[in-house]
């Protein structure tokens, strides 16, 4: 099947490798080679990069990469917990630096990118636990200088699914208060029953079989899918009320498209302020592999702008609350 992708993508599609997630090690090697050839992966000059560790739930250490503006305009700064993509199987915070470092530069925020452990070596709930532990560390680590009223969870693909899961957990088990969740092409539903999940069997970069293999790695081949946790697949959550305001971006030729749209609709019905963007002519990960294209720049700009609006709104609300409190004294 041919897909009417954005015209700027067409000349580059022939150079796009075929990703096969069934072999985790081969997929990791392919993605590492693609990352090494990324001409736009440089960290902005005014952003410092520091590798640190956060304590995991099992007593081990989670590697995190902290991106921080070197010139601090204000103190404390907004904090963003960022989770990279990779189908739960590949990717790492040390090389996936373009988006989190750009967010730090564009938003004047401290961005903590989490190097959660990968499946199949570490199946669910390890990655989820790592991400939730890192968020808790981010919110409680005073030397990061983060404003507790302006904490965002963000991610792409599997990382966006992890961000959604962490937001659910923060609501349910008393985690840090979140002012926003920004979900780019989120992995949300292991059932893969939507029209897009069924139809896109040969879509560029990511297809139905990759989705199937990804979930098998993450949940385990023998997992009882009737009992899948909503912390693994957030679409399984029955109640979405009380979650933070949300931005969801989906691509038109993506097996994950419809589960993102469904989640946005359910959030809206639950009373959660939600913005949904569907970008025509795009496919899963297209803005990452072809970041120079105009539609890719628009995807990244809209994502950043949504977080900026949320941070500005939270800052205004905090100022008004402080002023009202002062007046009442």
């Amino acid at each position: 099947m041919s897909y009417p992708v954005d015209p700027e993508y067409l000349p580059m599609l022939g150079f796009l490798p075929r990703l096969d997630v069934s072999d985790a090690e081969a997929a990791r090697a392919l993605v590492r080679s693609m990352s090494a050839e990324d001409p736009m992966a440089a960290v902005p000059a005014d952003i410092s990069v520091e590798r640190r560790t956060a304590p995991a739930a099992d007593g081990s250490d989670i590697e995190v990469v902290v991106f921080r503006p070197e010139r601090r305009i204000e103190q404390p700064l907004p904090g963003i917990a960022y989770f990279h993509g990779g189908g739960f199987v590949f990717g790492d915070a040390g090389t996936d630096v373009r988006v989190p470092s750009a967010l730090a530069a564009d938003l004047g925020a401290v961005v903590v990118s989490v190097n959660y452990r990968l499946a199949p070596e570490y199946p669910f709930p390890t990655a989820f636990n790592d991400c939730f532990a890192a968020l808790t560390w981010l919110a409680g680590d005073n030397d990061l200088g983060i404003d507790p009223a302006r904490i965002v969870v963000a991610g792409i693909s599997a990382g966006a699914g992890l961000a959604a899961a962490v937001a659910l957990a923060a609501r349910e088990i008393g985690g840090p208060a979140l002012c926003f969740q920004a979900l780019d092409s989120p992995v949300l539903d292991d059932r893969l029953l939507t029209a897009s999940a069924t139809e896109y069997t040969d879509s560029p970069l990511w297809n139905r079989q990759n989705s199937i293999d990804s979930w098998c790695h993450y949940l385990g081949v023998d997992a009882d899918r009737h009992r899948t946790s909503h912390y693994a697949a957030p679409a399984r959550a029955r109640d979405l009320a009380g979650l933070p305001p949300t931005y969801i971006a989906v691509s038109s030729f993506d097996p994950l498209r419809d589960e993102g749209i469904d989640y946005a609709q359910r959030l809206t019905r639950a009373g959660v302020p939600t913005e949904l963007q569907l970008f025509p002519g795009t496919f899963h990960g297209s803005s990452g592999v072809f970041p120079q294209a105009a539609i890719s720049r628009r995807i990244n700009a809209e994502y950043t702008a949504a977080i900026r609006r949320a941070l500005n709104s939270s800052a205004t609300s905090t100022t008004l609350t402080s002023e009202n409190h002062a007046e009442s004294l």
Side-chain angles (χ1 to χ4, degrees), residues 64-275:
V64 297
V65 182
V66 180
F67 301 91
R68 188 198 310 263
E70 292 186 339
R71 293 189 301 168
R72 299 190 185 186
I73 300 172
E74 57 177 304
Q75 183 75 19
L77 297 175
I80 301 174
Y82 182 82
F83 311 119
H84 67 78
F88 307 111
V89 172
F90 56 84
D92 72 272
T95 57
D96 188 355
V97 300
R98 176 161 34 84
V99 173
S101 65
L103 290 175
D106 294 341
L107 300 173
V110 176
V111 180
V112 175
S113 186
V114 182
N115 211 31
Y116 55 86
R117 286 170 284 184
L118 300 173
E121 294 85 353
Y122 296 96
F124 176 80
T126 302
F128 162 75
N129 286 338
D130 286 353
C131 291
F132 187 75
L135 171 66
T136 303
W137 173 82
L138 175 155
D141 193 291
N142 293 328
D143 82 330
L144 291 177
I146 288 174
D147 182 353
R150 292 187 292 162
I151 296 176
V152 173
V153 290
I156 183 170
S157 189
L162 288 164
V166 163
L168 287 165
R171 178 195 65 174
E172 294 168 357
I173 61 179
L178 302 175
C179 74
F180 199 63
Q181 57 177 342
L183 314 178
D184 184 353
S185 306
V187 175
L188 299 167
D189 196 343
D190 65 306
R191 293 166 290 194
L192 301 175
L193 297 176
T194 66
S196 63
T198 303
E199 178 180 356
Y200 294 132
T201 58
D202 60 349
S203 44
L205 199 64
W206 195 261
N207 53 43
R208 176 175 176 80
Q209 189 59 51
N210 280 338
S211 291
I212 293 170
D213 292 334
S214 170
W215 280 113
C216 286
H217 287 317
Y218 189 45
L219 298 178
V221 175
D222 299 323
D224 181 356
R225 294 297 185 89
H226 296 291
R227 303 181 63 183
T228 301
S229 169
H230 61 287
Y231 293 153
R236 298 271 194 167
R238 295 182 179 181
D239 179 14
L240 302 183
L243 288 170
T246 303
Y247 175 84
I248 296 178
V250 296
S251 294
S252 54
F253 306 116
D254 184 355
L256 309 180
R257 180 195 66 202
D258 292 346
E259 62 197 66
I261 293 172
D262 291 347
Y263 202 66
Q265 291 176 325
R266 291 185 57 210
L267 285 164
T268 300
R269 290 196 295 270
V272 177
T274 303
E275 180 178 355

Side-chain angles (χ1 to χ4, degrees), residues 8 14 30 32 108 179 195 241 247 252 327:
E8 274 198 83
L30 176 60
R32 282 195 297 269
C179 74
Y247 175 84
S252 54
E327 291 174 1

